[in-house]
Amino acid sequence: MAASRPSLLLLLLASLCAAHPVRGEGLLTDGFTAVELTEAQFKVQKPYDVPLGERYELLAGGVRRMWVYAADKPITTAHPGGPRTEIKIERVYSSGVWQFEGYGYIPCGTSGASVMQIFGAAEHATTLMLHVYGGRLTYYHDVAAAGVVDAAIYDRWFRLNVIHDVAASNVTVFVDGERRLTAPGRGGDSHYFKFGVYGQSRNGMSYRMESRWRDVKVFTKCST
């Protein structure tokens, strides 16, 4: 009987780990329903004058790699925005609670770029933008301590969850299951998620900007 105790202990530990996911794994999406998305709804936006393969590639394991250069053109000749290679998730919402989940990777050297956003607002273009400056993930251009969402984002896979409650007008950002930011909404009645790299002129942008993403999902539920 004594010889079986280690095995019983290991089984108990394994069951406890399964019942209590590490750092909130899976818990943030409890109560939400996964939104079915087709590959066609992951629309790549890239500089208009270069082929898709020169700014975007789909790697093994479903990793989406996007990069852009500071001198690149916008997505169309009529578009006023800066250089970008982003994916627009073509699922527009106007009410309820919506959640973005994805695993991101920002290589060292990428700076002055938005890597995720909630598009749409009443008096602004966006409700949320997450930027990277010198290895810090920040709320818009806010590089002060209060605006830093993660202080060491380079060269590692991180799980990003962003919850937008339209009726309550707030946005909550989690990194690796930990709440890092709660920000007010910005109104508007048409929103969607975007991720990739979008050069930002304020605070300067690096010559080359890149981000990689995998397992990107969207969830929703009714407002409480």
Side-chain angles (χ1 to χ4, degrees), residues 11-216:
L11 287 171
L12 178 60
L13 289 173
S15 64
L16 287 172
C17 289
H20 300 281
V22 177
R23 304 187 73 182
E25 185 73 38
L27 299 180
L28 293 174
T29 57
D30 284 356
F32 285 81
T33 300
V35 176
E36 185 175 345
L37 297 171
T38 67
E39 183 61 27
Q41 288 175 277
F42 289 83
K43 182 179 179 181
V44 181
Q45 299 177 327
K46 50 84 180 172
Y48 70 83
D49 61 339
V50 296
L52 179 64
E54 293 185 12
R55 295 295 184 274
Y56 170 83
E57 61 179 343
L58 185 60
L59 303 174
V63 175
R64 302 175 189 272
R65 177 173 172 253
M66 290 162 275
W67 65 99
V68 75
Y69 295 92
D72 275 345
K73 299 289 195 296
I75 59 176
T76 70
T77 55
H79 201 281
R84 74 183 78 189
T85 303
E86 292 183 298
I87 288 179
K88 170 188 175 183
I89 300 179
E90 294 196 313
R91 180 59 174 89
V92 176
Y93 63 91
S94 59
S95 62
V97 184
W98 290 75
Q99 180 172 178
F100 170 96
E101 179 179 76
Y103 291 82
Y105 183 98
I106 315 297
C108 182
T110 292
S111 190
S114 169
V115 295
M116 187 273 167
Q117 59 177 295
I118 300 174
F119 193 84
E123 298 180 1
H124 305 271
T126 62
T127 289
L128 171 77
M129 294 182 81
L130 295 176
H131 295 181
V132 172
Y133 292 107
R136 293 168 294 174
L137 186 68
T138 69
Y139 176 64
Y140 285 95
H141 306 288
D142 189 355
V143 296
V148 175
V149 178
D150 192 284
I153 207 68
Y154 280 159
D155 293 341
R156 68 181 184 88
W157 284 102
F158 59 92
R159 181 166 61 102
L160 180 69
N161 293 77
V162 176
I163 300 175
H164 182 200
D165 189 328
V166 178
S169 191
N170 61 54
V171 177
T172 309
V173 178
F174 298 81
V175 177
D176 294 328
E178 296 182 356
R179 185 195 301 262
R180 299 292 181 86
L181 173 74
T182 299
R186 291 179 149 194
D189 57 6
S190 180
H191 306 279
Y192 53 83
F193 298 116
K194 301 183 77 175
F195 61 99
V197 276
Y198 174 18
Q200 303 295 305
S201 57
R202 186 171 174 178
N203 296 331
M205 66 181 88
S206 55
Y207 167 73
R208 185 182 186 279
M209 295 157 277
E210 177 182 332
S211 73
R212 305 166 200 168
W213 294 87
R214 61 177 174 83
D215 300 320
V216 172

